[in-house]
Amino acid sequence: MTLDLLHLMPTDLFRILPEVVLTITGVLIMLVDASLPPHVDRRNLGWLAALGTVFALLASQAQLALLQLAERTGFYGTVETSTFSIFFHVLICGIVLVTLLIALDTLPENGHHKGEFFALITFGAVGMCLLTSAVELLVVFIALEISSIATYVLAGYRKENGRGPEAAIKYFLLGSFATGFFLYGIAMVFGATGSTVISEIATRVHTGGHPGLILLALGLMLVGILFKVSAAPFHIWTPDVYEGAPSPVVALMSTAPKAAAFALLIRILYGAFPALQPIWTPLLWLVAVLSMTVGNLAALRQHNVKRMLAYSSIAHAGYLIAAFAGAGNTGITAACFYTAAYASMNVGAFAVVTLISGYEDELPLIKDFRGVLYRTPVLGGALIFFLISLIGIPFTGGFFGKFFSFTTAMGGGAVWLVLIGLLNSGLAAAYYLRLIVSIAQKPEGESPVPPVAQPIGVAVSAALMLAIAATLVLGIAPGEVLKNAAEGAYELMPHSMQMVNSLVFF
Amino acid sequence: MTPLSAYLLVAALLFAVGLAGALTRRNAVLVLIGIEMMLNAANLNLIAFWRFGAHPEQLTGFLFAIFSIAVAAAEAAVGLALVIALWRHTRSVNLDEQTRMKG
């Protein structure tokens, strides 16, 4: 299908077409939801949301046509279309699609406010997508808040269960707290440079100005973003929120908003403050080490599967941030690749956990997973596959994610960081293996039967297959994705392309 | 005319008060108020920097503050809704009592 969208609509509109499509889908869902009689099941609205997300994904791909133009930004220099933004758009739309497919089959039948659930996911996706293409701090702030507010509500979606509101209020209060820091940082950077456009900030930081204010701004903004990616020491909210939120939502919020926040982190660090790299590299070094160690040590002590995966996601944020120690755009490339690899395996893991534990988390503990491989071999096998990828064993996306992250960090001279990372990977294998052993053990006579909906639904099977395919492709043939990530990185930092070439030997 | 530093000082104080409130209060609503104060401190900074900046005709800081007020309002609406949901379960909005999840 070669539809010439470039000449069909104003260029500015084309630059935000995925967001427009998602917004229209969300509004449509809310309208239909409101006009349907109360007793009608809203499940089909989920298919509508999935359809909208597919169109948004196609629209992001079509945006490649925009790259022919000399002009990269639209709407008075606030939104940029580049390989980088398209990479993250496709990734986020993919995650949202998989999440919607999981939710379609696992949300309780005739559960109330089902329509709102799907609408909130699409609205959140609007914010996340916009965040990856925003190059002006006002748009960045608004996009961040669109995605955050939608996820706050989704986290507390299981209202009947007391844990839902508790998780949501914890997420909300700590999230807005971090937003306060982020906004204050923006005000400082505006004061120091007189601009809110990221590229202009970079030039003015480079030519000097108020170094104190700029450092303060960098610190405050980092607090805000590191909270969103749940890196230590800003990770406190993660385990409680993941435990209390419904598993399909956790599949989304542990991957898509994080991918968007990592894109923002890359934009802020390499786009706005490249001149301060000697200052933020050691800071991130520390954050990476803390995240890995704290995440893995805490995960070892967990008995609840979702809490364990929450701590593991903190550790994975650490592995990803280690890539920032790499020089120039190799670091960006490795970080982008890790985001994709982590997203595909984590979304898959939570899809299986949703099916095994049940929507209400009837079987949340590691020992409840005993014998899953014998009761439902497909699910047990799939979960073992995702856990193997999370450990980082070859032929899975997790392996290449870690491999690229650590090799770039090594290239940047951060030998100790890599050593600590490798030690941590070994440590992490312990708790993943504990769960794998539990899954593969012979079921005892009296052990509870997992409430797996038999047969497994069409939508969630499709979601699982997408996640498995993505994890496998990233683990066997990472070249294509890595090439796209490298192109995106190159567009952000045009110099030092040869270093990327040295990484792309696949 | 009041110098820029005076506005920045007031904003910093407001931020500090909000931060202290958000960290020490145990009532969810009061924590929310503390957070709102932090956001408003940032708004005050934006307005001051805009007014005293090189290009006050560009309206950058002014528009930023307006949008951030709108966002803060949306956030407060969600926050209060969540507080009500919490109240329905525990008959309390004391954050110290919200300990269903541990580990």
Side-chain angles (χ1 to χ4, degrees), chain B:
Chain B
M1 191 168 156
T2 324
L4 173 62
S5 55
Y7 289 99
L8 299 188
L9 202 64
V10 171
L13 274 175
L14 197 59
F15 189 79
V17 171
L19 184 62
L23 289 177
T24 57
R25 292 291 169 168
R26 287 289 148 258
N27 185 315
V29 179
L30 290 176
V31 174
L32 189 57
I33 291 175
I35 291 166
E36 293 292 318
M37 281 174 81
M38 290 164 68
L39 292 173
N40 282 320
N43 288 342
L44 190 56
N45 267 336
L46 282 166
I47 296 285
F49 279 131
W50 161 68
R51 186 68 185 75
F52 285 87
H55 300 286
E57 77 283 354
Q58 276 182 357
L59 295 180
T60 319
F62 175 74
L63 277 177
F64 211 123
I66 289 196
F67 272 101
S68 116
I69 289 168
V71 166
E75 221 173 44
V78 169
L80 291 175
L82 292 177
V83 170
I84 291 172
L86 197 64
W87 170 260
R88 285 200 180 133
H89 280 283
T90 49
R91 296 283 143 193
S92 155
V93 289
N94 189 326
L95 294 174
D96 281 345
E97 291 169 21
Q98 312 301 330
T99 50
R100 283 178 209 84
M101 295 173 283
K102 275 214 168 102

Side-chain angles (χ1 to χ4, degrees), chain A residues 3 5 41 65 69 83 88 94 130 133 136 153 209 211 213 271 284 298 427 436 456 487:
Chain A
L3 195 61
L5 288 169
D41 190 17
L69 304 177
T83 330
F88 277 100
L130 190 59
S133 53
E136 200 265 349
V153 181
L213 268 187
L284 288 179
L427 194 63
I436 291 178
I456 303 162
E487 275 172 21

Side-chain angles (χ1 to χ4, degrees), chain A residues 156-361:
Chain A
Y157 186 70
R158 283 187 306 190
K159 278 198 300 187
E160 297 74 18
N161 178 333
R163 287 176 177 176
E166 182 183 335
I169 198 102
K170 281 177 176 168
Y171 189 29
F172 168 77
L173 286 177
L174 289 168
S176 336
F177 190 62
T179 305
F181 281 93
F182 188 67
L183 190 64
Y184 208 82
I186 290 177
M188 288 295 133
V189 82
F190 174 61
T193 62
S195 174
T196 52
V197 179
I198 287 179
S199 55
E200 279 179 35
I201 291 170
T203 42
R204 292 188 201 168
V205 168
H206 199 66
T207 54
H210 314 269
L213 268 187
I214 290 173
L215 278 184
L216 183 63
L218 175 64
L220 290 169
M221 290 171 89
L222 273 183
V223 171
I225 304 171
L226 289 177
F227 171 88
K228 295 287 169 204
V229 300
S230 72
F234 311 105
H235 65 282
I236 314 288
W237 57 278
T238 320
D240 281 0
V241 174
Y242 284 17
E243 189 187 337
S247 304
V249 172
V250 183
L252 177 78
M253 65 195 254
S254 66
T255 49
K258 272 195 192 181
F262 274 118
L264 174 64
L265 186 64
I266 291 168
R267 272 223 203 270
I268 297 283
L269 291 179
Y270 292 94
F273 300 108
L276 299 180
Q277 190 159 18
I279 293 167
W280 55 251
T281 307
L283 266 180
L284 288 179
W285 194 101
L286 199 66
V287 170
V289 169
L290 263 179
S291 304
M292 292 180 212
T293 318
V294 170
N296 283 330
L297 285 179
L300 278 174
R301 299 189 295 118
Q302 299 307 318
H303 301 291
N304 183 306
V305 174
K306 275 164 85 184
R307 284 188 87 84
M308 191 199 88
L309 286 174
Y311 281 112
S312 111
S313 86
I314 297 168
H316 278 278
Y319 303 137
L320 198 155
I321 291 171
F324 289 102
N329 51 24
T330 48
I332 307 177
T333 312
C336 291
F337 185 86
Y338 202 105
T339 320
Y342 167 73
S344 53
M345 58 198 181
N346 216 50
V347 109
F350 274 109
V352 187
V353 169
T354 315
L355 287 172
I356 297 174
S357 292
Y359 175 78
E360 291 290 346
D361 287 328

